[in-house]
Amino acid sequence: MEEEYGDFPKNAIGTMIRKMLTMLDEHEIGPKLSVCYNFVLKHEALLTNVPEPVKNNDRAAQLRQQGNRLYLAKRYAKALEKYNESICYAEAGSDQLAMGYANRSAIYFEQGEYEFALLNIRLARDHNYPEKLREKLDTREKNCRLKIDEGFAKDNVPCPRLGINVEGNPKIPCLAKGIGMKQYSGSGRGLVAERNFKAGDVILNEKAILSVVAVAFKYLYCSRCGIPNQHSLIPCPNCVHCMYCSEECLAEDSRMAHRYECSFGAQMANIAYDGSNLATKLFFYGLTLFNNDLDQMMKYCEKNSMIGADPFKLDHRNYDPLEEFKIFHETKLHLSPYIEVSFRLCAAATYYVLLKQPSIKALVTTKAQKRSLLNCLYLYQRVAMYFAWERKSPPDCTVTGLLSYGKLVNHSCNPNAMILYDYGQIKCILIRPVRKGQQITISLGPAWFVIGNQQASDLSFTCQCEVCLYGRVGEWIKTGKPLPAKALKDLELCTEVMLNEKINEAAKLNAYQQIIQRYDQYLPNMDMSYHLRMYYHKLTQAIMKENIQLNRAKVAAAVV
């Protein structure tokens, strides 16, 4: 039965979802929210007696020693994770915190990340690094600066830059001007081109509003913005579950949501299913935006749930996060009935856990407030699924980010765009020319030009794109036109450019763009499929490299 319904986490919520799915008839939509809550109550033993770990220097020292052994074995990625866990367990004011930062600086020096080494040396000094060991730290700092002065620092100047490269939307700066929203039969809301665009046009560059980090990766990504920051993170001063890329992210996350969740992180991990805890964070975020007035939030939420909303009506020149939050609450959501089972169970389990916390219990006192809390948690489970993107480290989800516009792009097995969520932001770049009136589409796996990739039948919905409606992919490809002789020569020249190590990545991307722009009219075409596939791959690499380089440049500006 587990194979039939897919993989679920090995925690309380995973167990409950598996049990409930075995009870459902294949034609049954699923139990109501109240039934799910009663189901949770029957299995509350799974949710009780979950110990909450606290700061502990002995534990911090033990974890740091594990990191040291990994460091000596040159398993630097694993060592960093152990040092980060040690940093989280270190008590405030203790030298364990400083030692963890110093150990991290040693790894960054070995990796050639000299700016990050300097940053961690500074953190170690700021947190009571033992005086008797200062000489060792001073030597490492001197060596870092010497390496930088000699030109051995890693590149922090992106080439190419992949921000929006066309005229921007004055009301929505993260979006290109000429991109609108339209309702499509069978797929719902989608993005549409209101003017002509070229291959290579960056039409969306949006930062996540909220992020949650998967439990298994909590010591590797910022709990607010979702970036790895080369895993150079600072801990929440009060819990062992969250780390941040900066003091600014720590303060903002605490102000907007984490102050509510800080004391029961292990209990939330016990009911986490991919990005399901984003729903809880969204509720507390909304409560903060309503000035922590639960009754005011209830009054609004009960009247405006899923009444319909248009994110394109927001004017980000006068940004109001409350109005943006209301868009999430008001949006009409249409999702698979079987997915609803997990949403309701996650909401019910979260509701149970929250009301066991003294601080939440004091806040939510009346029956009306409790009902509103449960309904909001259920709605925001759905919102998280509808508006969030996942950053994956296959096969795992590492970070889930909530966005207003990034999830409006629909799937097609004949996509004209690619999208990537990385470093807490999403970018959408056209991989083919798009004409006025055409829908902007991406591939969620299946694409006609990627051989041996995921099949449309593997998707969680029935794809109604032109490839699938036509029939088999092989038959679809036959509808393309043969390339003229000149095109074949151009393709050979493009391949030569790709193999030339002296040509930079920006020039290589430009070569692909010119080929695709010039011969797009002949697609689908097997001769062109390789270049389309490689262009897609090169764009993905370029975005990820740019994010690392910009992050490195930011750190360099602070320490060099």
Side-chain angles (χ1 to χ4, degrees), residues 194-210:
E194 297 174 340
R195 66 176 181 85
N196 293 339
F197 288 91
K198 304 189 303 294
D201 286 347
V202 182
I203 62 169
L204 178 68
N205 186 11
E206 181 184 11
K207 289 186 177 181
I209 300 158
L210 296 173

Side-chain angles (χ1 to χ4, degrees), residues 316-334:
H316 290 260
R317 291 172 297 188
N318 302 301
Y319 178 63
D320 184 346
L322 179 57
E323 292 304 310
E324 188 174 47
F325 170 81
K326 290 178 179 179
I327 292 291
F328 295 129
H329 192 87
E330 295 171 6
T331 298
K332 290 183 178 179
L333 306 171
H334 305 282

